[in-house]
Amino acid sequence: MKTLQSSCITCIFSILLTLGFLSAQAMAAEPLDLRQAVVVCPSDLTKAENTAVRMLVEEVEKRTMVRWQVVHEWPDDSVPVVAVGPSSSLKAFAGPLAKAVADRPVKEGAEGYRIFVLTEGRKAPTVFVVGNDERGVLFGCGRLLQEMQMTRRRVQETAAGGATRIDEPRGFISLDPSLDMNTVPEYPLRGHQLGYRPKTNSYDAWTPEIWEQYIRDLAVFGTNAIELIPPRSDDDDYSPHLPLPKIDMMARMSQIADDYGLNVWIWYPALDSDYSNPATVEFALKEWGDVFARLPRIDCVFVPGGDPGHTRPTVMMALLEKQTEVLHRTHPKAQMWMSPQSFNKEWMDEFLEYMNKEQPDWLSGIVFGPQNRISLPDLRAKIPKKYPIRRYPDITHSVRCQYVVQDWDVAYSLAEDREVINPRPVAESKIFRIWKDQAIGFLTYSEGCNDDVNKFVWSGLGWDSNTPVIDILRRYSRYFIGPAYEDNFAQGLLALERNWEGPLLTNESVYITLKQFQAMEKAAGPQDLLNWRFQQALFRAYYDGYERRRLIYETELEQQAMEALCGLSGPLGSLAAMDRAEEILDRAITDRVALDWRGRIFELAEALYQSIRMQLSVPKYKAIAIERGAHLDLIDRALNNREWLKKRFSELRALDTEPERLKGIQEIVHWTDPGPGGFYDDLGNLTCRPHLLRGLGPETDPEYRASSRVGFRPNPDYRISWQCFAESVYDAPLQMKYSDLDPNAQYRVRVVYAGDMRRNTALKIRMVADEIEVHPFIPKESPVRPMEFDIPIDATRDGELLLSWYQEPGSGGSGRGCQVAEVWLMKVPSAGAAQESAR
């Protein structure tokens, strides 16, 4: 029976071959060898199309040392061809295969392309890249680059699963012969802000050559717009890194984008204090007009309503109407966009009323970015449909930002801060998809190359939001790192994101991630080790591993120090106890752990400065500030309460009497003790906040508008528990719920209010127990300290308690302010119990 089945299958296969349904090459599925290929294209390509062909040839040569020849006539049939051109010139470059190409289906749409392989009609194979328009040619060439396997030395797999290097004079270029793509982008706008200014962690040191390479890299993955920043912004005027004056580099970047046919946006903040003053307006019109005139290409200008800037909406709109006229003098088709960022409730209401009543024709669209009082769906519902909305998502920051890292461990916040190298592919894909039908696209908010992976995730999803993230990461890894890393590096990027999930103390996968990258590092060749994207991932893997090792060590040191305080303060006295505890705590500095990892981190920091100008240190690389990506300066920051304890020890040593010092030590040792029948929550500690109500959560509420989130404000003078806290934003309450309380007991709450402190006017906070006010709006104090309040007994009479905190309603800006660090709910002893305790 088996023999008969086998015979039948063989016969069917032979028939299919005879009829031409299968080719020998298709059966074997041998990759196409394109080392000897030539590029055939029309002779009358546009500037952008010629740039696309140049990009294709140059990027192949960089990876293989093979230089494809570009011709306008078809070569001999024996020469493989990569045919590139727009569909409008199909007959001019399709040559003998014009009819076969013309018969293939076309998915119409701006910026789309077709890529396919023909093995019939010529002896050698032909790869076609046919763009629906000139951008389609660019993005088609980019996708071909992503799909090809390109190496400097060919690697041949053996039957046993091993690998053998085959040394050849030139590299290897191969392509799957079944490749057949017919695609158009899902979103018409897919871009990233590239700000040449001192505030960024690398951009200010980039030369025009680096900028062109990066813009090209983005274009390969479907980016069709970049956003520039003018010479005057909320930034220092000078950086020691600048290779060109700001306006000169701005003009060069505009020209580079135009060469590739990409749109140019300008993020242009209105910084002056009073635009109701005619003299101020005249100054701004001239200043902006001079910038507009210097740029060869401007497609859109985006003016944020705030962050920075602070102009009420009606005054802002009057200014922008005049600026639109100035813009059109040199760029007649350019558009004006704005965002209602940082508006408080009064200004947001004024803005919405203006938009619906006036509906100005000079305004082309609205931008939704950070610090927006209302959500994107709400904004879309309240803005007239004639105005498209563009997203401006913050993909560069980890904390104190629009999309914070979910439940980030305080140790990471202390040691890595806001602009760490931050691949977040899964999180970014969720943020992208949750509101994907609310906007026409995006230009992301970036302040350096630390968010490089996130840019490519957004670009990939902007082309097709259903693309699995792992597919984007594999193409990213294959193209930028090399075919040998296609899956391993992609999985490594996912692992780096998982490093940040949950409590670091128990996240053993951090060490597994490091081992995976160390294995790639050991196998890497010289070109791999010089690759800045490879260096970035290695840096993060080592840094995360080192911080976990330190956290484990310093947590144990603090425990030993507490035991020393308990054991020595009695017989040997308080001074000796504090000396002993301080000596134990200082072992974190005098007896460091994982010195080999620490040393490798510094080596990689130097490599990243040399390769991509990353400024990971203020003193060493002249970064503008620690929170602007210079977290190498935080590598030894205490991950326990060492600094606060030493400060307290110094204060206690200054006291006059032993009983006073012993009382202070007891306070330290029993800090988290709420007493019998009481409860303690450290709201920034992922493992010690059982009573915190989380709300909707980031899956449906990525900006935490109706959810609590962890916030951070590092301060070496504070306890760790004061440097992290739970927070809610805008008018949403922060809430805790207790159950099974003693209905006959009196409770008292001790609370620490931490977090943001406003410079000129104090942020205020209010506490409510169920619906009973515990205290009215009071200013948050600096330095922070515990405060105590009685809980009305009517709030706990049913055995349950809902504590709610509010900040003053109607706030603007970041919306932060309702931030609670520690809460003790303490059972007040009855008179009888107090007397018994006294006896």
Side-chain angles (χ1 to χ4, degrees):
M1 186 66 176
K2 289 183 179 179
T3 303
L4 180 59
Q5 288 177 338
S6 178
S7 299
C8 291
I9 292 172
T10 302
C11 290
I12 294 171
F13 219 68
S14 300
I15 293 171
L16 290 173
L17 279 172
T18 303
L19 294 176
F21 289 113
L22 290 174
S23 68
Q25 186 171 4
M27 288 173 56
E30 281 292 326
L32 302 180
D33 183 348
L34 298 178
R35 284 175 294 176
Q36 306 299 325
V38 298
V39 176
V40 175
C41 63
S43 59
D44 60 347
L45 292 179
T46 66
K47 178 178 70 173
E49 291 165 350
N50 271 313
T51 300
V53 173
R54 175 170 64 86
M55 174 185 79
L56 176 64
V57 171
E58 290 177 354
E59 293 304 315
V60 168
E61 184 178 22
K62 287 176 188 175
R63 288 160 175 78
T64 66
M65 295 186 291
V66 173
R67 179 80 180 187
W68 280 345
Q69 183 182 4
V70 179
V71 300
H72 306 302
E73 301 292 336
W74 278 71
D76 184 85
D77 276 8
S78 62
V79 178
V81 165
V82 177
V84 179
S87 57
S88 60
S89 301
L90 193 59
K91 292 181 180 179
F93 73 94
L97 302 176
K99 185 178 186 306
V101 174
D103 290 342
R104 300 181 73 90
V106 177
K107 184 179 287 187
E108 296 182 357
E111 304 184 357
Y113 58 82
R114 285 177 287 162
I115 304 177
F116 53 90
V117 177
L118 290 181
T119 55
E120 298 83 18
R122 300 177 70 246
K123 294 178 182 178
T126 305
V127 180
F128 274 95
V129 179
V130 184
N132 292 0
D133 48 30
E134 69 174 14
R135 280 193 188 160
V137 173
L138 174 71
F139 299 138
C141 288
R143 188 55 184 265
L144 178 61
L145 285 168
Q146 296 176 55
E147 294 297 328
M148 289 188 294
Q149 299 279 335
M150 296 181 284
T151 61
R152 289 190 168 219
R153 288 201 295 177
R154 187 178 179 185
V155 178
Q156 178 174 296
E157 298 293 333
T158 67
T164 303
R165 289 194 183 276
I166 302 175
D167 290 322
E168 296 180 343
R170 296 191 298 174
F172 194 73
I173 313 167
S174 66
L175 184 69
D176 184 345
S178 66
L179 180 64
D180 191 345
M181 305 188 70
N182 190 0
T183 179
V184 296
E186 185 174 344
Y187 293 89
L189 179 61
R190 308 172 305 281
H192 306 281
Q193 187 180 91
L194 305 176
Y196 178 72
R197 57 175 177 164
K199 184 178 291 184
T200 62
N201 55 50
S202 52
Y203 291 160
D204 58 333
W206 285 11
T207 63
E209 292 74 24
I210 296 176
W211 277 121
E212 178 171 6
Q213 185 62 58
Y214 199 66
I215 291 169
R216 174 184 286 189
D217 290 348
L218 293 171
V220 165
F221 279 74
T223 295
N224 69 356
I226 65 169
E227 187 163 74
L228 309 179
I229 290 179
R232 185 164 73 101
S233 66
D234 61 328
D235 216 325
D236 289 1
D237 188 52
Y238 170 76
S239 162
H241 301 284
L242 298 176
L244 287 178
K246 293 179 186 176
I247 187 62
D248 293 344
M249 187 65 82
M250 191 181 186
R252 292 286 292 274
M253 293 170 70
S254 172
Q255 184 61 64
I256 291 168
D258 187 57
D259 290 345
Y260 285 80
L262 306 180
N263 281 1
V264 174
W265 287 60
I266 306 177
W267 175 84
Y268 216 127
L271 296 173
D272 299 309
S273 59
D274 183 9
Y275 289 107
S276 63
N277 184 333
T280 302
V281 172
E282 287 304 313
F283 170 81
L285 295 177
K286 182 180 186 310
E287 181 189 39
W288 293 30
D290 289 346
V291 172
F292 297 155
R294 283 292 307 274
L295 270 59
R297 177 168 185 160
I298 302 174
D299 294 278
C300 301
V301 173
F302 155 40
V303 181
D307 189 30
H310 194 70
T311 300
R312 70 176 311 127
T314 51
V315 177
M316 168 75 79
M317 292 305 197
L319 170 69
L320 298 191
E321 183 174 9
K322 294 178 180 179
Q323 291 288 17
T324 303
E325 295 175 3
V326 172
L327 174 64
H328 287 166
R329 292 173 192 167
T330 51
H331 301 276
K333 296 182 180 180
Q335 300 178 351
M336 180 66 71
W337 292 55
M338 67 84 63
S339 72
Q341 285 176 242
S342 299
F343 288 175
N344 59 21
K345 185 178 186 303
E346 177 189 353
W347 284 19
M348 180 61 79
D349 290 344
E350 180 181 298
F351 163 73
L352 294 173
E353 180 182 3
Y354 174 91
M355 290 298 298
N356 283 280
K357 182 179 179 180
E358 301 295 333
Q359 299 197 22
D361 291 332
W362 56 265
L363 185 66
S364 296
I366 297 296
V367 176
F368 175 82
Q371 299 197 9
N372 200 310
R373 270 195 60 83
I374 61 177
S375 69
L376 176 55
D378 285 345
L379 184 65
R380 177 65 282 172
K382 293 177 180 181
I383 292 292
K385 295 296 183 183
K386 65 181 282 189
Y387 298 105
I389 291 181
R390 173 207 128 183
R391 295 179 71 176
Y392 179 42
D394 182 350
I395 66 169
T396 203
H397 294 123
S398 301
V399 296
R400 300 187 297 281
C401 59
Q402 183 181 20
Y403 301 112
V404 301
V405 176
Q406 180 182 355
D407 289 344
W408 215 28
D409 193 287
V410 64
Y412 279 133
S413 173
L414 292 171
E416 300 185 354
D417 215 309
R418 295 189 75 208
E419 286 179 14
V420 65
I421 295 161
N422 69 337
R424 298 174 60 192
V426 174
E428 296 295 342
S429 68
K430 291 178 180 178
I431 293 165
F432 182 100
R433 288 170 174 146
I434 193 168
W435 293 325
K436 68 176 189 176
D437 59 343
Q438 300 292 311
I440 64 164
F442 59 86
L443 277 107
T444 67
Y445 169 26
S446 169
E447 287 187 343
C449 61
N450 64 299
D451 55 26
D452 181 68
V453 171
N454 301 338
K455 290 188 184 81
F456 289 89
V457 169
W458 275 79
S459 290
L461 295 174
W463 194 278
D464 181 357
S465 64
N466 295 315
T467 305
V469 168
I470 187 63
D471 288 357
I472 298 173
L473 296 181
R474 283 173 176 150
R475 284 189 274 121
Y476 176 97
S477 302
R478 178 170 64 233
Y479 182 65
F480 289 123
I481 313 300
Y485 298 93
E486 179 175 335
D487 186 67
N488 292 349
F489 196 81
Q491 296 293 348
L493 295 174
L494 291 170
L496 287 176
E497 183 174 23
R498 290 193 297 271
N499 280 5
W500 284 359
E501 294 177 359
L504 177 57
L505 201 62
T506 58
N507 189 350
E508 296 185 9
S509 67
V510 170
Y511 291 163
I512 297 172
T513 301
L514 177 56
K515 289 179 181 177
Q516 291 173 328
F517 275 101
Q518 285 174 324
M520 286 186 272
E521 179 184 26
K522 185 177 180 180
Q527 294 299 319
D528 304 325
L529 295 174
L530 291 172
N531 185 322
W532 66 267
R533 290 182 168 97
F534 192 78
Q535 293 167 353
Q536 277 196 337
L538 280 178
F539 182 90
R540 250 294 304 282
Y542 274 103
Y543 205 101
D544 288 359
Y546 179 64
E547 295 310 323
R548 181 168 190 263
R549 183 67 186 88
R550 279 209 310 129
L551 178 62
I552 293 171
Y553 181 48
E554 294 184 21
T555 300
E556 176 59 25
L557 290 180
E558 182 171 333
Q559 181 61 37
Q560 292 177 20
M562 292 300 101
E563 292 171 358
L565 289 178
C566 293
L568 296 177
S569 60
L572 296 182
S574 61
L575 296 178
M578 288 187 286
D579 288 346
R580 173 63 174 158
E582 191 163 336
E583 181 274 327
I584 294 171
L585 292 168
D586 281 343
R587 291 176 192 169
I589 302 298
T590 61
D591 188 16
R592 298 187 193 277
V593 293
L595 288 175
D596 54 339
W597 293 355
R598 187 176 184 275
R600 185 61 178 137
I601 289 167
F602 277 86
E603 291 172 353
L604 287 165
E606 176 65 23
L608 282 164
Y609 180 70
Q610 298 294 336
S611 62
I612 200 61
R613 311 297 190 268
M614 282 201 80
Q615 301 143 33
L616 291 162
S617 168
V618 174
K620 192 171 178 62
Y621 302 115
K622 302 300 182 287
I624 195 170
I626 286 178
E627 74 167 11
R628 297 299 177 182
H631 52 282
L632 188 66
D633 297 341
L634 304 176
I635 192 169
D636 296 320
R637 177 185 268 176
L639 302 182
N640 59 13
N641 286 304
R642 181 178 78 241
E643 299 299 332
W644 179 81
L645 285 168
K646 293 176 68 171
K647 179 173 177 288
R648 285 293 294 138
F649 291 162
S650 179
E651 294 167 349
L652 293 178
R653 289 188 183 106
L655 297 177
D656 294 331
T657 67
E658 180 71 359
E660 289 178 300
R661 291 192 292 268
L662 290 175
K663 180 181 178 183
I665 289 176
Q666 289 301 308
E667 180 186 71
I668 292 171
V669 171
H670 297 288
W671 183 268
T672 61
D673 182 6
F679 308 89
Y680 170 77
D681 287 74
D682 180 356
L683 297 184
N685 184 334
L686 306 183
T687 64
C688 188
R689 49 182 190 176
H691 302 98
L692 178 66
L693 297 184
R694 302 303 308 277
L696 298 176
E699 297 294 327
T700 56
D701 183 23
E703 293 179 298
Y704 290 83
R705 294 177 180 273
S707 311
S708 65
R709 69 187 190 189
V710 180
F712 305 93
R713 274 293 177 186
N715 187 326
D717 291 333
Y718 286 176
R719 288 180 55 85
I720 295 293
S721 56
W722 299 350
Q723 299 181 64
C724 56
F725 37 81
E727 66 182 6
S728 59
V729 297
Y730 298 112
D731 298 343
L734 182 71
Q735 296 183 311
M736 297 176 67
K737 186 170 184 178
Y738 300 83
S739 57
D740 300 323
L741 300 180
D742 183 345
N744 301 312
Q746 170 71 56
Y747 286 91
R748 188 168 177 79
V749 64
R750 180 188 298 151
V751 61
V752 175
Y753 297 138
D756 292 30
M757 302 291 174
R758 194 172 292 161
R759 291 179 182 176
N760 299 322
T761 59
L763 292 168
K764 295 182 179 179
I765 194 166
R766 173 176 179 250
M767 188 198 304
V768 174
D770 290 351
E771 297 181 359
I772 306 170
E773 184 173 85
V774 176
H775 69 70
F777 284 108
I778 60 174
K780 293 167 63 176
E781 298 182 358
S782 179
V784 304
R785 62 180 179 85
M787 295 184 288
E788 293 190 10
F789 307 92
D790 287 326
I791 297 295
I793 196 165
D794 286 347
T796 58
R797 202 179 300 280
D798 61 355
E800 295 189 347
L801 172 64
L802 179 66
L803 285 180
S804 303
W805 287 270
Y806 301 85
Q807 64 176 319
E808 290 184 290
S811 65
S814 67
R816 298 188 300 265
C818 188
Q819 298 159 321
V820 183
E822 292 180 289
V823 178
W824 297 256
L825 185 64
M826 304 172 292
K827 193 174 181 181
V828 178
S830 63
Q835 292 173 2
E836 182 65 26
S837 176
R839 285 198 292 269

